[in-house]
Amino acid sequence: MSPAVSPSGSLVDEARAWLVQDPDPDTRAELAGLIERDDLDALRERFGARLEFGTAGLRGELGAGPNRMNRVTVMRAAAGLAAVLGPGRHVVIGYDARHKSDVFARDTAAVLTGAGVHATLLPRPLPTPVLAFAVRHLGADAGVTVTASHNPPRDNGYKVYWGDGSQIVPPVDAGISAAIDAVGRVDELPLGGPGTLTELGEDIVDDYIEAVTALPLGDARELRVAYTPLHGVGAATLTGAFLAAGFESPMAVEEQRNPDPDFPTVAFPNPEEPGAMDLAAALAGKIGADLVLANDPDADRCAVGVPLPGGGVRMLTGDEVGGLLAEHVITHTTGDRMVATTIVSSTLLAKIARAHGVRYGETLTGFKWIIKAGPGLVFGYEEAIGYSVGSDAGLPVWDKDGIGAALTVAGIAAAAKRDGRTLLDLLDDQARRYGLHATTQLSFRVADLSLITDAMSRLRAEPPAGLGGLEVTAADDLARGDGGLPPTDGLRYRLADDARVVVRPSGTEPKLKCYLEVVVPVTTTPGEARADAARRLEAVKSDLAARLGLG
């Protein structure tokens, strides 16, 4: 965000100018009340900075002013996109079920069509991967989806895709941001009238389901699944895909089945958060499920759990699911292929690729980079439970796709069940083949961002010689472009015994994030290797936390 400190008089004047152009009665009432009460602190929060348009587009809290998500902010973004594209181009627009998402989508369409851009709107709130699919499927020049993914209920966002169906990357984002800065008052923008917008029917959902059911799912179908969309938009599309592929309909958590922008049953609508999967786990026990699946609210991510014989559910990490999906895709595809992941994900994928003779790509964090890893990409994943699964025909979605991933995991689990096994047995098989790769995170949320800057500076000035009793054998400063990647603020330490640590500031939150991995050979049992790995991870984590000094 860009600071823009204003004297109180100019601050109120700026708020009044915003009020005049705001078409939303809700945010007008909010802002008028703040002005009437002379609430300068609240006005500074809304006008002392602005949401910056970056490679993830826009994301922030709903409310009035340039530092909030609202109709003015969205219309400015649409006008900037229209200016970059130019008249005659085609944009597909999707949206989720969050507060104001449908309104923001239609505002986007009105601004685009008013600028001479052809706008096509998806028929209803739908998963983000449907939008990403539609951009390429319809041959559009760009796409927009209104979503804040798994953010809190008070947030919304605006994500832009380019004509290849992937998220925008530099310098496109900078060009759109500059064009947004040049936009004047939104009440003076030309808007498209009735008949200028193309609204799609359910055919686009059918086409997406046809594409993901053509993935390498195997031929086993007997499987009972407990599922939650976490109050998001995934349930109908996922259920349709499962039925089209020949699976039994997943049993959805009733309290979380339907879209609800307030996410009333979870503290945070993210399947990785503590407690978010409790209702799904309870349902799994009740119905005797073989597998537990969850999507985040816009269904671009997929969480996977395995019910245990004695009760409870063992949730798999993103790296564990990534390894299972990767080996499945590789063994069900042919030709010159590539698999890819990010610098913070497990090193297991590189070993799987080498063992199977396929190319391996490693990128910066974010699916926008994974998708661009190289030609022949048939699988990509990031440790934050995001996956894109492909076939010999390539990737149906050039972004993370929680529906396609869920289908493929179900196919793997059904084949294992037919053999009297579970995904946990398959993980043990991989541990025996490649070593037990155990990963975890250490993160620090701060109120003062300078604490993160200082911690990174300390590590650069005095790099550790060892962590957790393991010698540091190599240190990469990612800000210098070490490792052949574009420069990014981060440090990577390679430790003895194939262990690894990556430290980087979050790009979206006031957090310092650390990604830890240890590798333990399975010399006795996978269970004993996991216990050994847990001890090693804890030792590395303890040493690293002490060095960072942020705890």
Side-chain angles (χ1 to χ4, degrees):
M1 296 181 184
S2 300
V5 178
S6 308
S8 60
S10 61
L11 185 69
V12 173
D13 290 343
E14 188 177 353
R16 287 185 174 132
W18 184 281
L19 186 64
V20 172
Q21 63 175 319
D22 189 349
D24 191 327
D26 295 333
T27 45
R28 281 205 313 271
E30 173 194 342
L31 192 52
L34 296 177
I35 294 171
E36 184 178 347
R37 295 192 301 274
D38 201 28
D39 191 339
L40 297 182
D41 288 340
L43 290 174
R44 285 190 190 95
E45 282 185 8
R46 290 157 176 77
F47 289 87
R50 67 179 175 88
L51 295 181
E52 294 284 1
F53 187 93
T55 53
L58 296 165
R59 192 174 291 186
E61 185 176 346
L62 290 163
N67 199 28
R68 295 287 190 271
M69 282 295 299
N70 51 65
R71 294 180 67 183
V72 176
T73 300
V74 164
M75 293 171 75
R76 287 173 55 82
L81 176 61
V84 169
L85 288 171
R89 308 299 283 277
H90 180 200
V91 178
V92 186
I93 304 163
Y95 57 101
D96 67 9
R98 283 178 176 266
H99 293 294
K100 302 284 185 181
S101 286
D102 57 338
V103 176
F104 294 165
R106 289 192 174 274
D107 281 341
T108 297
V111 171
L112 291 174
T113 53
V117 176
H118 175 207
T120 298
L121 186 67
L122 295 189
R124 55 184 168 85
L126 283 166
T128 291
V130 177
L131 180 279
F133 167 81
V135 172
R136 296 182 73 224
H137 186 65
L138 299 175
D141 299 291
V144 170
T145 187
V146 181
T147 179
S149 189
H150 51 276
N151 274 38
R154 65 180 181 274
D155 289 0
N156 213 327
Y158 194 89
K159 187 183 293 187
V160 177
Y161 291 78
W162 220 229
D164 62 358
S166 68
Q167 297 176 47
I168 57 171
V169 296
V172 174
D173 59 331
I176 295 173
S177 182
I180 292 171
D181 289 343
V183 175
R185 294 168 54 119
V186 300
D187 57 343
E188 296 176 352
L189 290 172
L191 302 179
T196 59
L197 168 66
T198 300
E199 298 196 41
L200 294 173
E202 290 298 313
D203 287 355
I204 190 64
V205 183
D206 296 338
D207 290 344
Y208 165 79
I209 289 175
E210 181 180 354
V212 295
T213 53
L215 291 171
L217 307 179
D219 59 1
R221 292 293 183 270
E222 186 181 337
L223 193 73
R224 179 162 294 179
V225 176
Y227 168 71
T228 176
L230 288 180
H231 300 293
V233 296
T237 306
L238 180 135
T239 300
F242 266 67
L243 292 175
F247 287 99
E248 177 183 316
S249 178
M251 297 286 290
V253 173
E254 191 59 39
E255 302 95 321
Q256 299 171 335
R257 178 196 300 269
N258 296 321
D260 188 328
D262 293 318
F263 307 105
T265 67
V266 291
F268 203 86
N270 180 349
E272 293 185 292
E273 289 291 320
M277 295 298 295
D278 287 354
L279 290 176
L283 176 63
K286 181 179 178 181
I287 67 173
D290 305 303
L291 184 68
V292 179
L293 295 172
N295 290 130
D296 63 339
D298 70 329
D300 65 348
R301 302 197 307 156
C302 174
V304 178
V306 178
L308 300 173
V313 172
R314 192 325 213 147
M315 297 303 298
L316 275 57
T317 68
D319 286 316
E320 289 174 327
V321 176
L324 292 177
L325 284 170
E327 200 146 27
H328 176 82
V329 171
I330 290 170
T331 56
H332 286 80
T333 52
T334 59
D336 181 25
R337 293 150 292 158
M338 170 178 273
V339 294
T341 190
T342 73
I343 56 172
V344 302
S345 299
S346 173
T347 58
L348 173 61
L349 184 60
K351 295 175 183 175
I352 292 173
R354 187 162 55 247
H356 289 275
V358 304
R359 289 178 292 113
Y360 168 74
E362 190 170 272
T363 74
L364 297 179
T365 55
F367 246 86
K368 58 186 176 286
W369 301 115
I370 292 172
I371 291 300
K372 293 174 172 56
L377 188 67
V378 292
F379 176 71
Y381 94 95
E382 59 185 0
E383 49 75 38
I385 63 173
Y387 320 93
S388 186
V389 179
S391 65
D392 282 339
L395 298 171
V397 177
W398 279 37
D399 194 20
K400 52 186 179 292
D401 176 10
I403 308 292
L407 265 181
T408 311
V409 168
I412 298 170
K417 180 182 178 181
R418 185 171 57 191
D419 296 335
R421 312 179 83 213
T422 72
L423 297 182
L424 300 182
D425 296 306
L426 302 187
L427 289 175
D428 286 349
D429 291 346
Q430 286 193 329
R432 293 185 185 98
R433 283 196 295 272
Y434 306 111
L436 191 283
H437 289 64
T439 57
T440 192
Q441 279 195 37
L442 173 67
S443 63
F444 300 93
R445 182 179 291 273
V446 299
D448 181 358
L449 288 175
S450 69
L451 295 175
I452 291 178
T453 303
D454 292 344
M456 295 295 289
S457 296
R458 286 195 301 272
L459 281 180
R460 286 188 167 100
E462 299 180 25
L467 290 168
L470 298 173
E471 178 189 1
V472 174
T473 59
D476 297 328
D477 189 342
L478 302 176
R480 298 193 304 244
D482 291 357
L485 295 169
T488 186
D489 189 9
L491 296 164
R492 177 170 56 188
Y493 301 108
R494 303 181 193 275
L495 312 180
D497 298 335
D498 283 343
R500 184 222 61 198
V501 170
V502 178
V503 182
R504 59 179 284 269
S506 170
T508 57
E509 299 176 276
K511 277 185 175 181
L512 184 67
K513 303 180 79 172
C514 311
Y515 305 83
L516 288 61
E517 179 179 39
V518 298
V519 182
V520 178
V522 179
T523 56
T524 53
T525 67
E528 290 184 8
R530 285 193 173 84
D532 187 11
R535 288 190 292 269
R536 295 190 191 195
L537 281 174
E538 189 55 40
V540 174
K541 183 185 290 188
S542 178
D543 266 12
L544 184 60
R547 281 189 165 272
L548 290 169
L550 294 173

